[in-house]
Amino acid sequence: FSALSFDGSGQTNSGISGSTFKLSLVISRLRTMTNSSPSLRQQQRNKFRAIRNNLSANEKQQASAAISRHLATFFAQQRTPNQQPQKLTRIAAYLNSANEASLDVWIAEAWQHSQKQIFVPVVEEEQGQMGFYRYAKNTQTVLGHYNLRTLAQPEASEHIAAADLDCVLLPLLAFDKYGTRLGMGGGYYDRFFADDANRPYLLGISFDAQRSAQKLEKSRWDVGLDAVITESGLTQFGTRELASGK
């Protein structure tokens, strides 16, 4: 592409009009905006991290209690969107940070039902991967990476593959009405559940304040949510069956 120079008539020496040149500038700016999309996503993370972190301890405690009640109802019904009963026994949860919705009350109640098996994520930092391991009442935990609770001896617990899970409770920073999940940015959940054919039912856990009124930016590798539970209740985004994940 030859260099362009303007004369007084608004016409370039190559014969391209000034308006066409302006259009090319607009296209160039759009490309610049597209290339800067990761920074936009980081801005979204910063926004919703601040919103979540600014919730008071009492607000988070009350909301977490309501979320636990909604989870109890959800699993008690154990029905797919087409009303077919399903057994949800192998459930992935998480050990919350100080600012995330707590699942501790619900997990303690789930332990009372012998048919329910709870698994939690363990980050394998060197491999950049995450695995899920059985979390029982007598399982010991320690503070691990990012000062988060994790299993003290994951190798001593049962490991489970994504395809063998019935339902997954996922933490998040934000979500929108399309089921887009904005996570912390590590991509661990996206990688672990990348295989759509063997993906279990993905249920986001969030405070109402983390609901985005605007559509969140989504990358092609992002794994979306099937539903989300907040202190206000359940919101479903798709019609995938719970147990089969299809």
Side-chain angles (χ1 to χ4, degrees), residues 218-237:
K218 185 176 182 180
S219 300
R220 64 181 184 277
W221 55 81
D222 287 338
V223 175
L225 300 169
D226 294 301
V228 67
I229 282 183
T230 70
E231 63 265 37
S232 295
L234 173 70
T235 300
Q236 290 186 328
F237 305 113

Side-chain angles (χ1 to χ4, degrees), residues 6 18-32:
F6 287 92
S19 60
T20 302
F21 183 74
K22 290 179 181 178
L23 178 60
S24 68
L25 288 177
V26 172
I27 294 173
S28 176
R29 287 170 183 169
L30 287 174
R31 286 174 177 168
T32 301

Side-chain angles (χ1 to χ4, degrees), residues 123-192:
V123 174
E124 299 161 354
E125 198 73 23
E126 292 182 0
Q127 292 79 19
Q129 299 294 328
M130 177 179 69
F132 282 85
Y133 294 83
R134 181 78 178 271
Y135 180 49
K137 192 173 183 179
N138 59 350
T139 303
Q140 298 296 312
T141 62
V142 295
L143 289 179
H145 295 290
Y146 311 114
N147 208 33
L148 297 176
R149 288 180 294 163
T150 187
L151 301 191
Q153 294 180 303
E155 66 279 0
S157 299
E158 176 188 355
H159 178 267
I160 193 168
D164 294 326
L165 287 166
D166 296 319
C167 184
V168 183
L169 311 182
L170 298 83
L172 50 83
L173 277 178
F175 69 96
D176 63 21
K177 65 179 182 181
Y178 303 100
T180 303
R181 172 184 176 269
L182 183 66
M184 295 294 290
Y188 293 105
Y189 282 92
D190 296 317
R191 288 192 293 274
F192 192 83

Side-chain angles (χ1 to χ4, degrees), residues 4-66:
L4 300 179
S5 59
F6 287 92
D7 58 25
S9 64
Q11 188 82 10
T12 67
N13 291 344
S14 63
I16 299 177
S17 67
S19 60
T20 302
F21 183 74
K22 290 179 181 178
L23 178 60
S24 68
L25 288 177
V26 172
I27 294 173
S28 176
R29 287 170 183 169
L30 287 174
R31 286 174 177 168
T32 301
M33 292 171 63
T34 301
N35 292 336
S36 65
S37 58
S39 63
L40 172 60
R41 171 161 277 202
Q42 189 57 48
Q43 289 175 15
Q44 293 174 334
R45 284 196 179 95
N46 293 340
K47 171 185 175 181
F48 284 100
R49 184 184 289 109
I51 289 174
R52 187 188 65 180
N53 294 356
N54 283 334
L55 294 173
S56 69
N58 184 58
E59 286 175 318
K60 285 181 283 193
Q61 183 178 18
Q62 291 188 10
S64 294

